[in-house]
């Protein structure tokens, strides 16, 4: 695994995972995996079911703490992240099975993404006055921009529990965007969507990447989508790294072909 | 026919015949209802934020009141005793978060529920150890709570309003308004509602679960202290008081487990219903209606409106 693609990655390394291993009791979810994510790129993590892709995202944003290895984010090296630190340092994410605040409206859900950006005093918030009011308006404008961007104006006030799945995924993306992340982790953003919804979501992902310059790491099973969207792809199988490179390189890799298509023994 | 007359018509005739007595009964029920509502409020707060049905809320009421009186008896001036008691409730909230909630995060609700049983028995033991098991007299004058009664001449008779009851109602209203503002208008309030909906999503946007839990349990502790003072002033402070927590159950079923206004309206309906039932219909069955009528009302609600008057209707796409 000495291949590094200087020419492909757009900039410096934003996040690096170094020889990370994670196990639950006797089950090894991730074994000695290293890869990096560079500033400005779309990085895909693929692999068969149970390969450790979601575990990897959970390690990156601090839900899981690996037993071995290091995570370097923005030049700071840690052996484990805490979710609150990851969030405040600029890592946002979505979940494989949508995790939204079901009782709250679309607007409130996305507003909750601004939690860490708000800092007016609690006293003023109670009265909706003074600095708190100005702050609320400022954040509300930002959130309205996101709502426009994701084309979900019509469902602004609807409790998200009542929305169809595809729209819920969109709201979840909106909440992550509201955090103005430097690194956006998307766990199967297109799972369970029809072709049209997939195309919409692909467009949003590309726009986020180009317009806001957000670095994106995504897990996806639809190979067409992955190969079209991503700059570089890392392939996991049984918790180990199988291949790493551009979509074309990965597609041509014999190990990857074997893993996906099976191999005659 | 005689029994039908006694059940359906006679009580209303009595109400009409002595309207002053009727008003008095309503007022008594109202005050009881306010106290039920306060207890239910403590449950709702914790249920909203951590999804836990906190069986220990009743004992928290007793423990807070006991601490207050105990500290006063040890020689602290009353206002200082209140502050120290608030400090104790804060320490309790932090301890519960550290020792009980944090290790049990992401466990099924039933496990957390059982853990609150543990907290209950722990607090009973701790309270007895420090302050002894004997009933104590709540301090009222020292807390500047009014004493005595106002008699109002109305409807051809006199209706008596205890000043302490009026104070209880006013304090309850102030506290409920403050909590409503806190939940609806502040960032912490929004974070609380977020935590109530999904722990992992809340974590992912940078909300600290630990901090939120401490805030919620501390708030419930404050509510418990106020309830303890008010209830203690009406009877006395003893461990027997914790059974009133069971009265919060029908209130919650009526009002909905997740609704603050629901807890209030539910509390009032149960309180007033109980007193009216006891006074006008109780004699028909030899009295004692008060102790079970609330549960019957709750049962009726479970059949026709399981989410309560104000509870969130649970809609899930499958």
């Amino acid at each position: 695994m000495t291949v590094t693609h200087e020419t492909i990655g757009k900039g410096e390394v934003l996040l690096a995972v170094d020889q990370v291993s994670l196990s639950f009791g006797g089950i090894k979810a991730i074994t000695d995996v290293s890869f990096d994510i560079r500033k400005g790129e779309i990085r895909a993590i693929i692999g068969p079911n149970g390969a450790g892709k979601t575990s990897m995202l959970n390690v990156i944003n601090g839900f899981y703490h690996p037993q071995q290895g290091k995570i370097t984010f923005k030049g700071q090296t840690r052996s484990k992240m805490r979710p609150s630190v990851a969030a405040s340092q600029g890592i946002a994410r979505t979940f494989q099975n949508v995790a939204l605040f079901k009782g709250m409206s679309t607007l409130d859900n996305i507003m909750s993404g601004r939690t860490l950006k708000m800092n007016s005093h609690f006293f003023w918030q109670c009265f909706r006055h003074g600095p708190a009011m100005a702050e609320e308006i400022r954040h509300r404008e930002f959130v309205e921009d996101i709502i426009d961007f994701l084309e979900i104006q019509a469902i602004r006030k609807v409790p998200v529990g009542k929305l169809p799945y595809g729209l819920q995924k969109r709201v979840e993306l909106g909440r992550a965007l509201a955090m103005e992340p430097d690194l956006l982790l998307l766990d199967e953003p297109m799972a369970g969507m029809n072709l049209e919804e997939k195309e919409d979501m692909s467009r949003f992902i590309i726009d986020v990447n180009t317009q806001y310059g957000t670095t994106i790491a995504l897990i996806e099973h639809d190979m067409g989508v992955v190969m079209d969207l991503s700059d570089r792809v890392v392939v996991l199988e049984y918790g180990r790294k199988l291949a790493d490179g551009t979509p074309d390189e990965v597609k041509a890799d014999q190990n990857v072909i074997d893993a996906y298509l099976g191999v005659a023994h | 026919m005689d029994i039908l007359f006694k059940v359906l018509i006679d009580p209303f005739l009595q109400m009409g015949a002595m309207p002053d007595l009727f008003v008095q009964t309503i007022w008594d029920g109202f005050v009881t209802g306010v106290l039920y509502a306060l207890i239910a409020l403590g449950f709702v707060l914790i249920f909203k934020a951590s999804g836990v049905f906190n069986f220990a809320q009743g004992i928290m009421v007793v423990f807070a009141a006991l601490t207050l009186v105990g500290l006063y008896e040890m020689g602290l001036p009353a206002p200082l005793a209140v502050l120290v008691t608030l400090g104790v409730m804060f320490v309790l909230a932090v301890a519960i978060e550290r020792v009980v909630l944090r290790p049990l995060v992401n466990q099924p609700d039933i496990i957390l529920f059982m853990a609150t049983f543990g907290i209950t028995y722990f607090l009973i033991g701790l309270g007895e150890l420090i302050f002894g098991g004997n009933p104590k007299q709540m301090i009222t004058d020292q807390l500047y709570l009014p004493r005595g009664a106002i008699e109002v001449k109305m409807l051809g008779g006199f209706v008596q309003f205890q000043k302490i009851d009026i104070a209880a109602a006013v304090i309850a209203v102030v506290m409920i308004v403050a909590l409503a503002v806190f939940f609806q208008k502040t960032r912490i309030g929004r974070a609380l509602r977020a935590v109530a909906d999904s722990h992992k999503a809340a974590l992912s946007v940078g909300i600290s679960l630990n901090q939120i839990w401490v805030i919620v349990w501390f708030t419930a502790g404050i509510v418990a202290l106020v309830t303890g003072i008010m209830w203690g002033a009406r009877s006395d402070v003893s461990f027997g008081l914790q059974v009133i927590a069971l009265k919060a159950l029908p209130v919650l079923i009526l009002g909905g487990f997740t609704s603050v206004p629901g807890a209030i309206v539910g509390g009032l309906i149960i309180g007033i219903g109980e007193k009216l039932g006891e006074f006008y219909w109780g004699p028909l069955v030899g009295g004692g209606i008060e102790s079970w009528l609330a549960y019957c009302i709750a049962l009726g609600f479970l059949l026709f409106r399981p989410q309560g008057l104000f509870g969130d209707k649970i809609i899930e796409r499958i």
Side-chain angles (χ1 to χ4, degrees):
Chain A
M1 301 298 163
T2 48
V3 206
T4 49
H5 300 267
E6 264 81 14
T7 47
I8 311 292
K10 287 177 182 168
E12 77 222 59
V13 171
L14 179 66
L15 178 128
V17 238
D18 189 23
Q19 296 184 315
V20 162
S21 295
L22 171 77
S23 58
F24 302 101
I27 299 167
K28 294 196 154 189
I30 300 173
T31 313
D32 200 23
V33 171
S34 307
F35 67 93
D36 61 12
I37 301 172
R38 292 187 196 148
K39 209 168 245 178
E41 73 175 342
I42 298 182
R43 183 73 145 129
I45 304 174
I46 64 169
N49 286 324
K53 305 181 298 290
T54 299
S55 296
M56 198 69 231
L57 285 201
N58 285 339
V59 165
I60 293 175
N61 96 312
F63 279 1
Y64 292 163
H65 298 157
Q67 281 81 10
Q68 280 163 31
K70 290 192 170 62
I71 307 151
T72 308
F73 181 63
K74 289 183 176 172
Q76 273 184 292
T77 303
R78 297 182 177 81
S79 60
K80 61 181 184 189
M81 278 284 199
R82 294 212 349 255
S84 55
V85 174
S88 63
Q89 298 261 313
I91 300 179
R93 72 169 291 176
T94 65
F95 296 87
Q96 193 172 349
N97 310 307
V98 190
L100 284 165
F101 308 125
K102 287 196 195 311
M104 298 177 6
S105 67
T106 299
L107 189 63
D108 271 345
N109 265 278
I110 301 181
M111 276 300 269
S112 74
R114 304 296 290 172
T115 307
L116 289 171
K117 308 268 176 207
M118 294 192 182
N119 42 25
S120 70
H121 197 271
F122 170 71
F123 176 79
W124 290 114
Q125 290 175 21
C126 282
F127 298 100
R128 294 218 141 187
H129 241 290
M133 197 62 200
E135 187 181 44
E136 183 88 8
I137 291 172
R138 198 153 40 79
H139 288 295
R140 180 68 186 271
E141 276 170 5
F142 189 89
V143 166
E144 289 294 340
D145 283 347
I146 291 175
I147 289 176
D148 285 347
F149 171 72
L150 294 174
E151 297 159 17
I152 46 177
Q153 297 91 336
I155 55 164
R156 203 192 264 116
K157 302 275 181 193
V158 184
V160 294
K162 291 182 179 167
L163 296 173
Y165 188 69
L167 281 177
Q168 290 194 6
K169 285 238 153 195
R170 221 184 269 195
V171 175
E172 208 192 11
L173 176 63
R175 187 183 61 200
L177 289 178
M179 293 168 71
E180 294 179 76
D182 297 313
L183 175 60
L184 178 59
L185 310 173
L186 303 173
D187 195 348
E188 301 200 20
M190 288 156 219
M193 287 187 171
N194 62 31
L195 186 62
E196 196 187 333
E197 288 172 327
K198 279 186 184 178
E199 281 169 355
D200 281 342
M201 190 51 100
S202 301
R203 186 160 51 81
F204 293 136
I205 292 173
I206 292 172
D207 285 352
V208 169
N209 182 246
T210 51
Q211 283 183 23
Y212 301 103
T214 310
T215 312
I216 295 171
L218 65 92
I219 294 174
E220 186 47 58
H221 277 297
D222 186 321
M223 283 308 129
V225 169
V226 168
M227 298 304 167
D228 282 351
L229 283 182
S230 47
D231 296 307
R232 290 193 304 155
V233 181
V234 56
V235 189
L236 301 180
E237 193 200 20
Y238 298 120
R240 293 174 185 278
K241 187 162 90 168
L242 204 61
D244 190 353
T246 62
D248 288 335
E249 283 171 332
V250 166
K251 259 191 278 188
D253 191 302
Q254 191 57 44
N255 285 332
V256 177
I257 295 170
D258 291 349
Y260 271 88
L261 298 179
V263 59
H265 288 289
Chain B
M1 283 317 284
D2 190 38
I3 185 73
L4 279 182
F5 174 78
K6 277 185 178 164
V7 173
L8 296 177
I9 299 169
D10 188 43
F12 297 101
L13 291 179
Q14 287 181 37
M15 287 176 203
M18 282 185 284
D20 54 331
L21 215 54
F22 178 63
V23 172
Q24 182 75 60
T25 313
I26 295 258
W27 169 250
D28 286 347
F30 174 77
V31 177
T32 319
V34 166
L35 289 168
Y36 287 162
L38 279 180
I39 296 168
L41 195 62
F43 279 101
V44 168
L45 282 174
I46 289 180
F47 190 81
K48 266 178 95 97
S50 41
V52 184
F53 182 82
N54 177 25
F55 188 77
Q57 186 67 31
I59 197 68
M60 276 167 70
V61 170
V62 179
F63 186 77
L66 209 57
T67 309
L68 176 63
V69 179
L71 288 170
Y72 178 76
E73 285 177 356
M74 286 172 193
L76 283 182
L80 194 61
V82 171
L83 284 180
V84 175
T85 307
L86 284 176
V88 169
M89 294 320 276
F90 181 71
V91 171
L92 185 68
V94 173
I96 288 175
E97 192 276 319
R98 276 289 150 82
V99 182
V100 182
L101 297 176
R102 198 181 287 186
L104 292 180
V105 68
N106 271 336
Q107 296 291 330
D109 293 346
I110 186 73
I111 290 184
L112 284 160
F113 174 57
M114 291 312 291
T116 65
F117 271 79
I119 297 173
T120 306
Y121 288 105
F122 174 77
L123 285 180
I124 292 177
L126 187 69
E128 275 188 7
L129 196 68
I130 303 176
F131 305 109
N134 296 327
K136 291 182 193 299
Q137 197 71 39
M138 175 48 74
I139 44 173
T140 49
D141 295 346
Q142 294 85 344
L143 292 172
Y144 309 108
L145 290 172
R147 165 208 286 273
I150 304 171
E151 289 219 348
V152 179
K153 194 166 191 280
M154 62 160 84
L155 306 165
F158 285 98
V159 181
Q160 208 181 47
F161 298 95
Q162 295 289 337
K163 283 182 185 166
I164 184 117
D165 290 348
I166 299 172
V170 171
I171 290 172
V173 168
V174 169
M175 198 159 72
I176 285 157
V177 169
L179 281 173
V181 170
F182 175 64
F183 262 100
Q184 295 300 326
K185 307 289 185 198
T186 69
R187 174 167 47 102
I188 296 177
R190 184 150 44 207
L192 280 172
R193 284 186 290 148
V195 170
D197 265 354
S198 165
H199 287 181
K200 67 175 178 180
L203 278 173
S204 82
V205 293
I207 294 166
S208 159
L209 283 186
N210 307 333
Q211 192 192 345
I212 294 294
W213 281 336
V214 170
I215 292 172
V216 169
W217 281 76
F218 180 47
T219 315
I222 297 173
V223 174
L225 175 61
V226 174
T227 319
I229 293 173
M230 292 308 169
W231 203 284
R234 286 161 65 87
S235 52
D236 53 12
V237 183
S238 72
F239 285 99
L241 208 62
Q242 62 159 315
V243 295
I244 54 163
L246 294 179
K247 274 286 165 61
L249 267 175
V251 172
L252 291 169
I253 288 167
L254 219 70
F257 278 82
T258 51
S259 166
V260 172
I264 298 153
V265 176
L268 294 180
I269 292 178
I270 296 281
I272 294 173
E274 245 179 32
K275 290 286 182 221
L276 286 180
E278 176 71 33
F279 196 77
Y280 290 103
W281 282 271
L284 292 176
V285 290
I289 280 192
E290 220 173 337
S291 55
W292 52 261
L293 188 66
Y295 301 98
C296 286
I297 299 175
L299 200 62
F301 261 83
L302 278 178
L303 286 174
F304 298 106
R305 209 179 150 78
Q307 75 270 29
L309 286 171
F310 297 87
D312 302 330
K313 193 161 189 181
I314 301 157
I315 305 167
E316 271 187 38
R317 299 181 74 93
I318 43 171

